[in-house]
Amino acid sequence: MSNSFAALPPAFYTRLSPQGLNAPRLLHANEDAAALIGLAPEVLYTQAFLDVFSGRAPLPGGDTLAAVYSGHQFGIWAGQLGDGRAHLLGEVDGPSGPWELQLKGAGMTPYSRMGDGRAVLRSSVREYLASEAMHGLRIPTTRALALVASDDPVMRETVETAAIVTRMSPSFVRFGSFEHWAARRQPEMVQTLADYIIDHFYPECRGPRPGEKDAPHAPLVRLLDAVTARTARLMADWQCVGFCHGVMNTDNMSILGLTLDYGPYGFMDGFRLDHVCNHSDTEGRYAWNRQPSVALWNLYRLAGSLNSVVQDADALKAVLDGYEGIFTRAFHDGMAAKLGLEAWRAEDEGLLDDLLKLMHEQRADFTLAFRRLSSAVRGASQPFLDMFIDREAARAWLQRLLQRHEAVPRDAALRAGAMDKVNPLYVLRNHLAELAIRAASQGDAAVIDDLLRVLRDPYTERPEYARYAGLPPDWASDLEVSCSS
Ligand code: AMP
Ligand code: MG
């Protein structure tokens, strides 16, 4: 255990104890995540494990605390926020490096504001599944170690029950962690936090690169550069799988470029360019097609905070000017692979735009429309065309794609196989999460187990799980997800 965050000055957090759940039950434990911290599978099913991850016993060697941060919520400065229902238990040195373990839903902290410090089973199942689904899609994300349930009542729109999900991340520091100190006009704390992040996670930002001359605050400019690049690539990853985060507030933006804080997220079913997954987002600020520009807006807030130390807005602005190029390149590379192209060409822009437009107009299913392109490459166009109401329009577009393929001839089976490796068949659709939640609220983790099996390898078709590969059933059209969690 190294507990490096706890070694920062005390103003960064409050030490405290979690308030554990009553009569907790281990609903699910993640053996893959456990392996990252060197925990053998059998340890996960012990009383000692349940005691720690239900918040009833301290993590041996840990140093429990809640961190302070601030942030912009829906574009408006919200002031101090902080871990209102998260307890950082400590940092474990695993075979894959250090991981912080954090309970979400283990009671109130000094940062709870009006909240009760709890999380409901529904949102905990969603976070648990989503982080593993993201990992299966090879998209940077926090992980989830355990899901513990209880009958303790929690008041939301109705009375629900409490749960705790244990998250793992090398760090939970957010853009808002920096904004906090800049807003309080304490640049020395911005510097301290930046030094911590650079030394632990971005050591390459410390020294001058070969041939670069070093200004006093160059490491912070390089840090922004590195975070900008990771964030831009993360946005491209999200866009390529039809993922909407739902609450891209600056306090939910990871300084490590990870997908962080799964609340009212959604993997799209029927495609809409301006799809909004969060029912509470009435303005559509975080619509699918706005995510890349919102991330840049958030990076501007981070840059502004770093500038309290750097005092060179032009240097930071120059870094942010690189965002669009990095995002666009990553998005084009990702989309080229999805379309079965060896490399993106400028003229492919029209091809992609027309596909997205067609999918948008006809609400084609995002996941299946892309997945079924490989069937067309293998010679069976119908599965793809079936995703559209106007099949003639879809057929015309498909002809253009197949013609484009001829520009770089390749064995059809090889091309189709490569496409299947980047177009998932299984994503965590809302209705699938809902099925898992319904079973989990009866104490049954079998759906979670089954879903994890396909979501960990979402590219490989498994006929026995065909029920997870289909379009949402009619009842799913009533599902709404909001900030309530
Ligand atoms: P979110 O939008 O879920 O990332 O949360 C924004 C802020 O509200 C964070 O500071 C959370 O810790 C806090 N928060 C959310 N739900 C609760 C809750 N039930 N109790 C205490 N704090 C909460
Ligand atoms: Mg949050």
Side-chain angles (χ1 to χ4, degrees), residues 238 242-246 264-268 275-277 286-288 291:
W238 287 1
F243 176 78
C244 299
H245 181 283
Y265 66 83
F267 286 89
M268 261 187 276
H275 178 75
V276 179
C277 61
Y286 300 136
W288 179 81
Q291 294 188 127

Side-chain angles (χ1 to χ4, degrees), residues 69 73 81-82 84-85 112-113 115-118 156 252 261:
Y69 53 81
Q73 298 185 314
L81 302 165
R85 53 169 168 174
S112 298
R113 297 175 296 145
D116 57 6
R118 294 297 178 193
R156 293 293 181 261
N252 290 338
D261 273 15

